[in-house]
Amino acid sequence: MIDENEIVWYPLRVTYAREMKVKEYLAGKGIESFIPMRYEQKLRGEEMVKIQVPVVHNFIFVHISKAELKDIKAASLISPFIRYIMNLETRLPLIVPDKQMQDFIAVAGSMDEQLMYLSSAEVAMKKGDRVRVIGGIWEGVEGKFVRIKRGLRVVVEIEGIMAVATASLHPSLVEKIDE
């Protein structure tokens, strides 16, 4: 059980693709949040432009205390649009550990075009060792080493929610972690 005032990462569902409005509201309150984004080509008039869009709609990670989140859910304009994602075993709101969230943001926040997002079911089907990247732009990131589309990648998973896989890595950039 966590302290009501401890700041942790909550993954939240957001209704009707309002995740960017919720992020903007939270930023205005000085609350850190993260939405995995990717680039997409859109036609604007006669010109193709590259814009950022959420990888998954209706979803946001929020770094906040339980007490502050309760206040927001009770009295703010965004209250009707946000819902906890529950841990089915404990029946409590899901919390993402800080290190896991830092690693997820390190990979997903790069918006590298070779990133591959996976459902938890896809990750569960891959059996791999726990590893740490020891070189390159993702140095220090820990995750599961898997082979996807003939490339060796490190998958950082937010269990039960989603996962992100790095671009292909050379095996020399990865070391096994004893669990």
Side-chain angles (χ1 to χ4, degrees):
M1 195 72 174
I2 66 158
D3 180 295
E4 289 268 322
N5 297 310
E6 182 182 353
I7 296 177
V8 296
W9 283 100
Y10 288 99
L12 300 175
R13 294 227 185 274
V14 181
T15 59
Y16 308 112
R18 290 186 176 114
E19 59 277 348
M20 297 309 289
K21 288 181 182 179
V22 170
K23 183 172 181 54
E24 185 179 312
Y25 174 86
L26 294 170
K29 297 277 186 192
I31 299 167
E32 182 181 10
S33 64
F34 180 74
I35 299 172
M37 303 289 282
R38 64 181 168 82
Y39 287 109
E40 190 174 276
Q41 296 282 347
K42 288 270 186 175
L43 188 60
R44 288 238 169 101
E46 295 179 21
E47 186 180 351
M48 285 297 274
V49 294
K50 208 178 207 182
I51 61 168
Q52 289 184 16
V53 297
V55 170
V56 179
H57 285 287
N58 306 323
F59 195 76
I60 188 171
F61 293 95
V62 181
H63 200 214
I64 193 169
S65 70
K66 187 173 186 176
E68 193 172 11
L69 186 54
K70 277 184 185 177
D71 290 346
I72 286 173
K73 285 179 68 60
S76 76
L77 297 173
I78 65 166
S79 176
F81 313 132
I82 57 175
R83 302 277 181 271
Y84 286 113
I85 296 175
M86 304 303 283
N87 179 319
L88 299 177
E89 292 175 15
T90 64
R91 298 184 187 261
L92 295 171
L94 197 61
I95 294 172
V96 180
D98 281 344
K99 172 66 171 144
Q100 188 178 23
M101 195 66 209
Q102 289 168 1
D103 290 350
F104 187 79
I105 291 171
V107 177
S110 73
M111 295 198 324
D112 186 300
E113 291 184 14
Q114 295 183 55
L115 292 179
M116 181 184 297
Y117 288 86
L118 311 165
S119 71
S120 285
E122 289 171 297
V123 174
M125 290 187 277
K126 307 289 185 204
K127 299 296 181 200
D129 294 328
R130 292 269 316 146
V131 296
R132 179 180 303 112
V133 179
I134 58 172
I137 63 170
W138 294 302
E139 185 171 354
V141 168
E142 296 176 7
K144 195 182 293 186
F145 200 46
V146 296
R147 184 178 298 276
I148 301 172
K149 293 190 178 180
R150 297 186 183 179
L152 299 174
R153 301 169 184 257
V154 174
V155 173
V156 179
E157 181 182 18
I158 305 299
E159 202 161 324
I161 305 295
M162 74 169 62
V164 61
T166 66
S168 290
L169 296 170
H170 190 274
S172 67
L173 294 176
V174 180
E175 70 180 359
K176 185 175 178 181
I177 301 171
D178 294 324
E179 291 189 38

